mmCIF file of all heavy atoms in Angstrom:
data_model
loop_
_atom_site.group_PDB
_atom_site.id
_atom_site.type_symbol
_atom_site.label_atom_id
_atom_site.label_comp_id
_atom_site.label_asym_id
_atom_site.label_seq_id
_atom_site.Cartn_x
_atom_site.Cartn_y
_atom_site.Cartn_z
ATOM 1 N N LYS A 9 -9.026 -12.106 -6.857
ATOM 2 C CA LYS A 9 -8.222 -11.120 -7.594
ATOM 3 C C LYS A 9 -9.139 -10.167 -8.360
ATOM 4 O O LYS A 9 -8.805 -9.005 -8.562
ATOM 5 C CB LYS A 9 -7.282 -11.839 -8.575
ATOM 6 C CG LYS A 9 -6.100 -12.486 -7.920
ATOM 7 C CD LYS A 9 -5.137 -13.028 -8.929
ATOM 8 C CE LYS A 9 -3.847 -12.276 -9.099
ATOM 9 N NZ LYS A 9 -3.139 -11.882 -7.959
ATOM 10 N N GLU A 32 -5.082 -3.491 13.838
ATOM 11 C CA GLU A 32 -5.862 -2.379 13.299
ATOM 12 C C GLU A 32 -6.002 -2.660 11.803
ATOM 13 O O GLU A 32 -5.004 -2.909 11.125
ATOM 14 C CB GLU A 32 -5.152 -1.048 13.538
ATOM 15 C CG GLU A 32 -6.041 0.140 13.260
ATOM 16 C CD GLU A 32 -5.448 1.465 13.713
ATOM 17 O OE1 GLU A 32 -4.359 1.455 14.350
ATOM 18 O OE2 GLU A 32 -6.059 2.493 13.427
ATOM 19 N N PHE A 34 -7.534 -1.811 7.856
ATOM 20 C CA PHE A 34 -7.839 -0.709 6.950
ATOM 21 C C PHE A 34 -8.250 -1.272 5.584
ATOM 22 O O PHE A 34 -7.855 -2.372 5.224
ATOM 23 C CB PHE A 34 -6.602 0.170 6.700
ATOM 24 C CG PHE A 34 -5.944 0.712 7.938
ATOM 25 C CD1 PHE A 34 -5.071 -0.061 8.678
ATOM 26 C CD2 PHE A 34 -6.182 2.021 8.344
ATOM 27 C CE1 PHE A 34 -4.449 0.439 9.813
ATOM 28 C CE2 PHE A 34 -5.562 2.533 9.476
ATOM 29 C CZ PHE A 34 -4.700 1.736 10.203
ATOM 30 N N TYR A 36 -7.736 0.274 1.734
ATOM 31 C CA TYR A 36 -7.207 1.314 0.861
ATOM 32 C C TYR A 36 -7.739 1.064 -0.542
ATOM 33 O O TYR A 36 -8.006 -0.083 -0.930
ATOM 34 C CB TYR A 36 -5.680 1.283 0.834
ATOM 35 C CG TYR A 36 -5.028 1.863 2.074
ATOM 36 C CD1 TYR A 36 -4.904 1.116 3.238
ATOM 37 C CD2 TYR A 36 -4.531 3.168 2.081
ATOM 38 C CE1 TYR A 36 -4.315 1.650 4.377
ATOM 39 C CE2 TYR A 36 -3.935 3.708 3.208
ATOM 40 C CZ TYR A 36 -3.841 2.945 4.358
ATOM 41 O OH TYR A 36 -3.263 3.483 5.482
ATOM 42 N N GLN A 38 -7.399 2.250 -4.854
ATOM 43 C CA GLN A 38 -6.661 2.943 -5.909
ATOM 44 C C GLN A 38 -7.533 3.021 -7.145
ATOM 45 O O GLN A 38 -7.774 1.995 -7.808
ATOM 46 C CB GLN A 38 -5.344 2.239 -6.223
ATOM 47 C CG GLN A 38 -4.461 3.042 -7.168
ATOM 48 C CD GLN A 38 -3.036 2.534 -7.203
ATOM 49 O OE1 GLN A 38 -2.760 1.370 -6.980
ATOM 50 N NE2 GLN A 38 -2.086 3.423 -7.488
ATOM 51 N N ARG A 43 -3.544 7.906 -6.840
ATOM 52 C CA ARG A 43 -2.695 7.322 -5.813
ATOM 53 C C ARG A 43 -3.491 6.382 -4.920
ATOM 54 O O ARG A 43 -4.714 6.518 -4.777
ATOM 55 C CB ARG A 43 -2.084 8.432 -4.938
ATOM 56 C CG ARG A 43 -1.285 9.432 -5.708
ATOM 57 C CD ARG A 43 -0.715 10.512 -4.827
ATOM 58 N NE ARG A 43 0.027 11.479 -5.620
ATOM 59 C CZ ARG A 43 0.936 12.304 -5.137
ATOM 60 N NH1 ARG A 43 1.207 12.306 -3.842
ATOM 61 N NH2 ARG A 43 1.556 13.150 -5.925
ATOM 62 N N LEU A 44 -2.795 5.477 -4.322
ATOM 63 C CA LEU A 44 -3.382 4.621 -3.304
ATOM 64 C C LEU A 44 -3.800 5.513 -2.128
ATOM 65 O O LEU A 44 -3.029 6.361 -1.666
ATOM 66 C CB LEU A 44 -2.327 3.607 -2.861
ATOM 67 C CG LEU A 44 -2.733 2.422 -2.018
ATOM 68 C CD1 LEU A 44 -3.828 1.614 -2.688
ATOM 69 C CD2 LEU A 44 -1.515 1.544 -1.763
ATOM 70 N N GLN A 45 -5.035 5.328 -1.667
ATOM 71 C CA GLN A 45 -5.540 6.196 -0.607
ATOM 72 C C GLN A 45 -6.413 5.414 0.355
ATOM 73 O O GLN A 45 -6.989 4.383 -0.001
ATOM 74 C CB GLN A 45 -6.346 7.359 -1.207
ATOM 75 C CG GLN A 45 -7.557 6.921 -2.030
ATOM 76 C CD GLN A 45 -8.224 8.084 -2.749
ATOM 77 O OE1 GLN A 45 -8.907 8.881 -2.121
ATOM 78 N NE2 GLN A 45 -8.027 8.167 -4.045
ATOM 79 N N LEU A 46 -6.527 5.945 1.558
ATOM 80 C CA LEU A 46 -7.342 5.295 2.566
ATOM 81 C C LEU A 46 -8.818 5.385 2.200
ATOM 82 O O LEU A 46 -9.308 6.444 1.820
ATOM 83 C CB LEU A 46 -7.119 5.960 3.924
ATOM 84 C CG LEU A 46 -7.965 5.416 5.069
ATOM 85 C CD1 LEU A 46 -7.477 4.021 5.475
ATOM 86 C CD2 LEU A 46 -7.946 6.361 6.262
ATOM 87 N N ARG A 49 -11.194 2.733 7.991
ATOM 88 C CA ARG A 49 -10.460 1.986 9.009
ATOM 89 C C ARG A 49 -11.450 1.478 10.041
ATOM 90 O O ARG A 49 -12.473 2.133 10.290
ATOM 91 C CB ARG A 49 -9.409 2.875 9.679
ATOM 92 C CG ARG A 49 -9.914 4.245 10.056
ATOM 93 C CD ARG A 49 -8.832 5.224 10.375
ATOM 94 N NE ARG A 49 -8.073 4.840 11.562
ATOM 95 C CZ ARG A 49 -7.458 5.711 12.354
ATOM 96 N NH1 ARG A 49 -7.515 7.001 12.089
ATOM 97 N NH2 ARG A 49 -6.785 5.316 13.393
ATOM 98 N N ILE A 51 -11.496 1.191 13.255
ATOM 99 C CA ILE A 51 -11.767 1.858 14.526
ATOM 100 C C ILE A 51 -12.688 3.060 14.343
ATOM 101 O O ILE A 51 -13.291 3.528 15.304
ATOM 102 C CB ILE A 51 -10.471 2.280 15.240
ATOM 103 C CG1 ILE A 51 -9.710 3.314 14.420
ATOM 104 C CG2 ILE A 51 -9.606 1.082 15.545
ATOM 105 C CD1 ILE A 51 -8.530 3.907 15.176
ATOM 106 N N MET A 84 -9.107 -0.719 -7.634
ATOM 107 C CA MET A 84 -8.356 -1.776 -6.965
ATOM 108 C C MET A 84 -8.479 -1.545 -5.472
ATOM 109 O O MET A 84 -8.239 -0.418 -4.999
ATOM 110 C CB MET A 84 -6.891 -1.690 -7.410
ATOM 111 C CG MET A 84 -6.092 -2.903 -7.156
ATOM 112 S SD MET A 84 -6.526 -4.215 -8.306
ATOM 113 C CE MET A 84 -5.677 -5.566 -7.495
ATOM 114 N N TYR A 86 -7.399 -2.721 -1.548
ATOM 115 C CA TYR A 86 -6.412 -3.443 -0.757
ATOM 116 C C TYR A 86 -6.806 -3.423 0.715
ATOM 117 O O TYR A 86 -7.090 -2.355 1.273
ATOM 118 C CB TYR A 86 -5.023 -2.804 -0.883
ATOM 119 C CG TYR A 86 -4.426 -2.874 -2.255
ATOM 120 C CD1 TYR A 86 -4.572 -1.820 -3.149
ATOM 121 C CD2 TYR A 86 -3.706 -3.993 -2.673
ATOM 122 C CE1 TYR A 86 -4.024 -1.878 -4.414
ATOM 123 C CE2 TYR A 86 -3.153 -4.055 -3.938
ATOM 124 C CZ TYR A 86 -3.320 -3.000 -4.802
ATOM 125 O OH TYR A 86 -2.786 -3.069 -6.061
ATOM 126 N N ARG A 90 -2.329 -3.298 10.437
ATOM 127 C CA ARG A 90 -1.243 -2.681 11.206
ATOM 128 C C ARG A 90 -1.139 -3.451 12.509
ATOM 129 O O ARG A 90 -2.077 -3.489 13.296
ATOM 130 C CB ARG A 90 -1.540 -1.212 11.471
ATOM 131 C CG ARG A 90 -0.517 -0.530 12.370
ATOM 132 C CD ARG A 90 -0.766 0.962 12.393
ATOM 133 N NE ARG A 90 0.021 1.611 13.444
ATOM 134 C CZ ARG A 90 -0.476 1.996 14.611
ATOM 135 N NH1 ARG A 90 -1.754 1.823 14.892
ATOM 136 N NH2 ARG A 90 0.301 2.590 15.497
ATOM 137 N N GLY A 93 5.047 -3.771 15.912
ATOM 138 C CA GLY A 93 6.073 -2.873 15.395
ATOM 139 C C GLY A 93 5.511 -1.773 14.525
ATOM 140 O O GLY A 93 6.260 -1.099 13.827
ATOM 141 N N PHE A 94 4.193 -1.644 14.563
ATOM 142 C CA PHE A 94 3.509 -0.625 13.766
ATOM 143 C C PHE A 94 3.710 -0.822 12.270
ATOM 144 O O PHE A 94 3.557 0.109 11.497
ATOM 145 C CB PHE A 94 3.938 0.783 14.172
ATOM 146 C CG PHE A 94 3.745 1.053 15.640
ATOM 147 C CD1 PHE A 94 4.819 1.390 16.443
ATOM 148 C CD2 PHE A 94 2.493 0.939 16.208
ATOM 149 C CE1 PHE A 94 4.637 1.619 17.796
ATOM 150 C CE2 PHE A 94 2.306 1.158 17.556
ATOM 151 C CZ PHE A 94 3.384 1.506 18.353
ATOM 152 N N LYS A 95 4.069 -2.057 11.884
ATOM 153 C CA LYS A 95 4.172 -2.355 10.463
ATOM 154 C C LYS A 95 2.787 -2.423 9.850
ATOM 155 O O LYS A 95 1.876 -2.976 10.460
ATOM 156 C CB LYS A 95 4.852 -3.715 10.260
ATOM 157 C CG LYS A 95 6.333 -3.713 10.479
ATOM 158 C CD LYS A 95 6.882 -5.118 10.499
ATOM 159 C CE LYS A 95 6.607 -5.895 9.251
ATOM 160 N NZ LYS A 95 7.299 -7.207 9.252
ATOM 161 N N THR A 96 2.637 -1.884 8.658
ATOM 162 C CA THR A 96 1.384 -2.015 7.918
ATOM 163 C C THR A 96 1.652 -2.889 6.713
ATOM 164 O O THR A 96 2.463 -2.531 5.857
ATOM 165 C CB THR A 96 0.842 -0.645 7.491
ATOM 166 O OG1 THR A 96 0.592 0.151 8.651
ATOM 167 C CG2 THR A 96 -0.470 -0.817 6.725
ATOM 168 N N ILE A 97 0.965 -4.030 6.661
ATOM 169 C CA ILE A 97 1.132 -4.936 5.535
ATOM 170 C C ILE A 97 -0.172 -5.002 4.754
ATOM 171 O O ILE A 97 -1.252 -4.780 5.298
ATOM 172 C CB ILE A 97 1.573 -6.338 5.977
ATOM 173 C CG1 ILE A 97 0.517 -6.991 6.851
ATOM 174 C CG2 ILE A 97 2.912 -6.289 6.695
ATOM 175 C CD1 ILE A 97 0.773 -8.452 7.096
ATOM 176 N N PHE A 98 -0.031 -5.297 3.465
ATOM 177 C CA PHE A 98 -1.166 -5.271 2.537
ATOM 178 C C PHE A 98 -1.445 -6.646 1.957
ATOM 179 O O PHE A 98 -0.543 -7.476 1.814
ATOM 180 C CB PHE A 98 -0.867 -4.305 1.377
ATOM 181 C CG PHE A 98 -0.904 -2.858 1.768
ATOM 182 C CD1 PHE A 98 0.160 -2.270 2.422
ATOM 183 C CD2 PHE A 98 -2.020 -2.072 1.484
ATOM 184 C CE1 PHE A 98 0.128 -0.936 2.799
ATOM 185 C CE2 PHE A 98 -2.059 -0.737 1.846
ATOM 186 C CZ PHE A 98 -0.984 -0.177 2.511
ATOM 187 N N GLY A 99 -2.718 -6.854 1.625
ATOM 188 C CA GLY A 99 -3.071 -8.021 0.847
ATOM 189 C C GLY A 99 -2.739 -7.810 -0.619
ATOM 190 O O GLY A 99 -2.277 -6.727 -1.010
ATOM 191 N N ALA A 100 -3.004 -8.824 -1.419
ATOM 192 C CA ALA A 100 -2.663 -8.767 -2.846
ATOM 193 C C ALA A 100 -3.616 -7.894 -3.654
ATOM 194 O O ALA A 100 -3.311 -7.532 -4.788
ATOM 195 C CB ALA A 100 -2.629 -10.175 -3.427
ATOM 196 N N GLY A 101 -4.766 -7.569 -3.055
ATOM 197 C CA GLY A 101 -5.699 -6.679 -3.730
ATOM 198 C C GLY A 101 -6.789 -7.412 -4.498
ATOM 199 O O GLY A 101 -6.610 -8.550 -4.947
ATOM 200 N N GLY B 3 1.076 16.934 -0.701
ATOM 201 C CA GLY B 3 1.122 15.485 -0.557
ATOM 202 C C GLY B 3 2.538 14.966 -0.485
ATOM 203 O O GLY B 3 3.505 15.721 -0.401
ATOM 204 N N VAL B 4 2.669 13.649 -0.552
ATOM 205 C CA VAL B 4 3.979 13.002 -0.576
ATOM 206 C C VAL B 4 4.527 13.111 -2.002
ATOM 207 O O VAL B 4 3.856 12.710 -2.956
ATOM 208 C CB VAL B 4 3.854 11.518 -0.163
ATOM 209 C CG1 VAL B 4 5.198 10.818 -0.289
ATOM 210 C CG2 VAL B 4 3.304 11.410 1.257
ATOM 211 N N TYR B 33 7.694 5.291 4.942
ATOM 212 C CA TYR B 33 7.737 3.907 4.474
ATOM 213 C C TYR B 33 8.148 3.862 3.004
ATOM 214 O O TYR B 33 7.756 4.721 2.221
ATOM 215 C CB TYR B 33 6.355 3.251 4.553
ATOM 216 C CG TYR B 33 5.592 3.421 5.843
ATOM 217 C CD1 TYR B 33 4.965 4.620 6.140
ATOM 218 C CD2 TYR B 33 5.459 2.364 6.731
ATOM 219 C CE1 TYR B 33 4.233 4.777 7.307
ATOM 220 C CE2 TYR B 33 4.721 2.504 7.907
ATOM 221 C CZ TYR B 33 4.113 3.712 8.179
ATOM 222 O OH TYR B 33 3.382 3.857 9.340
ATOM 223 N N TYR B 35 7.609 1.032 0.011
ATOM 224 C CA TYR B 35 6.997 -0.224 -0.404
ATOM 225 C C TYR B 35 7.421 -0.540 -1.841
ATOM 226 O O TYR B 35 7.608 0.359 -2.654
ATOM 227 C CB TYR B 35 5.472 -0.140 -0.377
ATOM 228 C CG TYR B 35 4.857 -0.174 1.007
ATOM 229 C CD1 TYR B 35 4.705 0.994 1.744
ATOM 230 C CD2 TYR B 35 4.416 -1.368 1.565
ATOM 231 C CE1 TYR B 35 4.131 0.969 3.012
ATOM 232 C CE2 TYR B 35 3.842 -1.408 2.830
ATOM 233 C CZ TYR B 35 3.699 -0.231 3.547
ATOM 234 O OH TYR B 35 3.127 -0.263 4.791
ATOM 235 N N GLN B 37 5.940 -2.553 -5.106
ATOM 236 C CA GLN B 37 4.733 -3.176 -5.640
ATOM 237 C C GLN B 37 5.031 -3.756 -7.015
ATOM 238 O O GLN B 37 5.134 -3.031 -8.000
ATOM 239 C CB GLN B 37 3.568 -2.199 -5.706
ATOM 240 C CG GLN B 37 2.263 -2.892 -6.104
ATOM 241 C CD GLN B 37 1.052 -2.003 -5.965
ATOM 242 O OE1 GLN B 37 1.147 -0.779 -5.988
ATOM 243 N NE2 GLN B 37 -0.115 -2.607 -5.813
ATOM 244 N N GLY B 40 0.599 -6.890 -10.255
ATOM 245 C CA GLY B 40 -0.319 -7.948 -9.865
ATOM 246 C C GLY B 40 -0.255 -8.331 -8.395
ATOM 247 O O GLY B 40 -0.968 -9.232 -7.959
ATOM 248 N N GLN B 41 0.596 -7.649 -7.646
ATOM 249 C CA GLN B 41 0.744 -7.953 -6.221
ATOM 250 C C GLN B 41 0.426 -6.722 -5.377
ATOM 251 O O GLN B 41 0.389 -5.601 -5.884
ATOM 252 C CB GLN B 41 2.163 -8.433 -5.922
ATOM 253 C CG GLN B 41 2.558 -9.695 -6.671
ATOM 254 C CD GLN B 41 3.962 -10.146 -6.334
ATOM 255 O OE1 GLN B 41 4.524 -9.770 -5.304
ATOM 256 N NE2 GLN B 41 4.545 -10.976 -7.198
ATOM 257 N N GLY B 42 0.218 -6.951 -4.094
ATOM 258 C CA GLY B 42 0.027 -5.844 -3.179
ATOM 259 C C GLY B 42 1.354 -5.219 -2.798
ATOM 260 O O GLY B 42 2.416 -5.808 -3.029
ATOM 261 N N PRO B 43 1.313 -4.028 -2.224
ATOM 262 C CA PRO B 43 2.557 -3.391 -1.783
ATOM 263 C C PRO B 43 3.263 -4.227 -0.713
ATOM 264 O O PRO B 43 2.627 -4.722 0.212
ATOM 265 C CB PRO B 43 2.074 -2.052 -1.206
ATOM 266 C CG PRO B 43 0.732 -1.807 -1.827
ATOM 267 C CD PRO B 43 0.142 -3.148 -2.004
ATOM 268 N N LEU B 45 6.243 -4.088 2.146
ATOM 269 C CA LEU B 45 7.053 -3.148 2.916
ATOM 270 C C LEU B 45 8.528 -3.493 2.806
ATOM 271 O O LEU B 45 8.945 -4.616 3.086
ATOM 272 C CB LEU B 45 6.630 -3.174 4.388
ATOM 273 C CG LEU B 45 7.388 -2.234 5.319
ATOM 274 C CD1 LEU B 45 7.132 -0.776 4.949
ATOM 275 C CD2 LEU B 45 7.007 -2.500 6.764
ATOM 276 N N GLN B 48 10.863 0.889 7.021
ATOM 277 C CA GLN B 48 10.046 1.862 7.740
ATOM 278 C C GLN B 48 10.952 2.668 8.653
ATOM 279 O O GLN B 48 11.743 2.117 9.405
ATOM 280 C CB GLN B 48 8.977 1.141 8.566
ATOM 281 C CG GLN B 48 8.094 2.051 9.395
ATOM 282 C CD GLN B 48 7.021 1.288 10.135
ATOM 283 O OE1 GLN B 48 6.632 0.185 9.742
ATOM 284 N NE2 GLN B 48 6.524 1.858 11.223
ATOM 285 N N VAL B 55 12.878 1.531 11.807
ATOM 286 C CA VAL B 55 12.001 0.731 12.666
ATOM 287 C C VAL B 55 11.979 -0.713 12.192
ATOM 288 O O VAL B 55 12.009 -1.643 13.004
ATOM 289 C CB VAL B 55 10.568 1.313 12.658
ATOM 290 C CG1 VAL B 55 9.607 0.390 13.401
ATOM 291 C CG2 VAL B 55 10.545 2.705 13.247
ATOM 292 N N ASP B 56 11.905 -0.893 10.886
ATOM 293 C CA ASP B 56 11.852 -2.245 10.329
ATOM 294 C C ASP B 56 12.461 -2.249 8.943
ATOM 295 O O ASP B 56 12.080 -1.431 8.107
ATOM 296 C CB ASP B 56 10.396 -2.742 10.265
ATOM 297 C CG ASP B 56 10.305 -4.206 9.874
ATOM 298 O OD1 ASP B 56 10.557 -4.525 8.698
ATOM 299 O OD2 ASP B 56 9.979 -5.038 10.745
ATOM 300 N N SER B 58 13.299 -5.601 7.700
ATOM 301 C CA SER B 58 13.454 -7.048 7.600
ATOM 302 C C SER B 58 13.255 -7.584 6.181
ATOM 303 O O SER B 58 13.742 -8.656 5.846
ATOM 304 C CB SER B 58 12.481 -7.752 8.557
ATOM 305 O OG SER B 58 11.147 -7.365 8.283
ATOM 306 N N LEU B 91 6.790 2.694 -3.941
ATOM 307 C CA LEU B 91 5.872 3.628 -3.309
ATOM 308 C C LEU B 91 6.462 4.152 -2.019
ATOM 309 O O LEU B 91 6.951 3.380 -1.186
ATOM 310 C CB LEU B 91 4.544 2.936 -2.982
ATOM 311 C CG LEU B 91 3.706 2.450 -4.160
ATOM 312 C CD1 LEU B 91 2.607 1.520 -3.670
ATOM 313 C CD2 LEU B 91 3.110 3.627 -4.903
ATOM 314 N N GLU B 97 2.217 9.446 13.533
ATOM 315 C CA GLU B 97 2.074 8.437 14.594
ATOM 316 C C GLU B 97 1.861 7.026 14.047
ATOM 317 O O GLU B 97 1.111 6.243 14.614
ATOM 318 C CB GLU B 97 0.918 8.814 15.531
ATOM 319 C CG GLU B 97 1.105 10.163 16.204
ATOM 320 C CD GLU B 97 -0.097 10.583 17.040
ATOM 321 O OE1 GLU B 97 -1.109 9.853 17.039
ATOM 322 O OE2 GLU B 97 -0.009 11.631 17.688
ATOM 323 N N ALA B 98 2.481 6.724 12.901
ATOM 324 C CA ALA B 98 2.483 5.352 12.351
ATOM 325 C C ALA B 98 1.077 4.790 12.219
ATOM 326 O O ALA B 98 0.823 3.653 12.597
ATOM 327 C CB ALA B 98 3.338 4.437 13.222
ATOM 328 N N ASN B 99 0.179 5.565 11.660
ATOM 329 C CA ASN B 99 -1.205 5.127 11.626
ATOM 330 C C ASN B 99 -1.731 5.069 10.192
ATOM 331 O O ASN B 99 -1.476 4.129 9.475
ATOM 332 C CB ASN B 99 -2.032 6.064 12.498
ATOM 333 C CG ASN B 99 -3.272 5.406 13.015
ATOM 334 O OD1 ASN B 99 -3.806 4.533 12.361
ATOM 335 N ND2 ASN B 99 -3.715 5.806 14.182
ATOM 336 N N VAL B 100 -2.455 6.061 9.758
ATOM 337 C CA VAL B 100 -2.977 6.080 8.389
ATOM 338 C C VAL B 100 -1.883 6.519 7.429
ATOM 339 O O VAL B 100 -1.218 7.528 7.657
ATOM 340 C CB VAL B 100 -4.176 7.042 8.283
ATOM 341 C CG1 VAL B 100 -4.613 7.182 6.836
ATOM 342 C CG2 VAL B 100 -5.324 6.543 9.149
ATOM 343 N N LEU B 101 -1.684 5.754 6.360
ATOM 344 C CA LEU B 101 -0.631 6.057 5.394
ATOM 345 C C LEU B 101 -1.143 6.967 4.291
ATOM 346 O O LEU B 101 -2.234 6.753 3.763
ATOM 347 C CB LEU B 101 -0.108 4.763 4.770
ATOM 348 C CG LEU B 101 0.983 4.007 5.533
ATOM 349 C CD1 LEU B 101 0.496 3.557 6.898
ATOM 350 C CD2 LEU B 101 1.475 2.828 4.728
ATOM 351 N N PHE B 103 0.105 8.069 0.564
ATOM 352 C CA PHE B 103 1.044 7.585 -0.435
ATOM 353 C C PHE B 103 1.413 8.650 -1.454
ATOM 354 O O PHE B 103 0.616 9.531 -1.786
ATOM 355 C CB PHE B 103 0.439 6.391 -1.188
ATOM 356 C CG PHE B 103 0.478 5.111 -0.412
ATOM 357 C CD1 PHE B 103 -0.562 4.780 0.440
ATOM 358 C CD2 PHE B 103 1.547 4.244 -0.534
ATOM 359 C CE1 PHE B 103 -0.525 3.598 1.170
ATOM 360 C CE2 PHE B 103 1.596 3.064 0.187
ATOM 361 C CZ PHE B 103 0.557 2.735 1.038
ATOM 362 N N GLY B 104 2.619 8.510 -1.975
ATOM 363 C CA GLY B 104 3.028 9.278 -3.133
ATOM 364 C C GLY B 104 2.534 8.594 -4.402
ATOM 365 O O GLY B 104 1.904 7.541 -4.355
ATOM 366 N N ALA B 105 2.855 9.210 -5.537
ATOM 367 C CA ALA B 105 2.391 8.681 -6.831
ATOM 368 C C ALA B 105 3.189 7.454 -7.258
ATOM 369 O O ALA B 105 2.758 6.716 -8.143
ATOM 370 C CB ALA B 105 2.479 9.767 -7.892
#
Side-chain angles (χ1 to χ4, degrees):
Chain A
K9 285 187 107 46
E32 192 170 355
F34 305 81
Y36 284 81
Q38 188 165 28
R43 302 179 181 200
L44 192 56
Q45 60 187 285
L46 177 72
R49 45 195 295 208
I51 64 172
M84 197 74 192
Y86 295 94
R90 175 171 169 258
F94 305 120
K95 285 170 58 173
T96 300
I97 63 169
F98 288 79
Chain B
V4 176
Y33 312 76
Y35 285 86
Q37 187 171 23
Q41 300 181 20
L45 180 65
Q48 178 177 336
V55 173
D56 188 288
S58 57
L91 295 167
E97 300 175 356
N99 205 330
V100 174
L101 275 62
F103 283 88

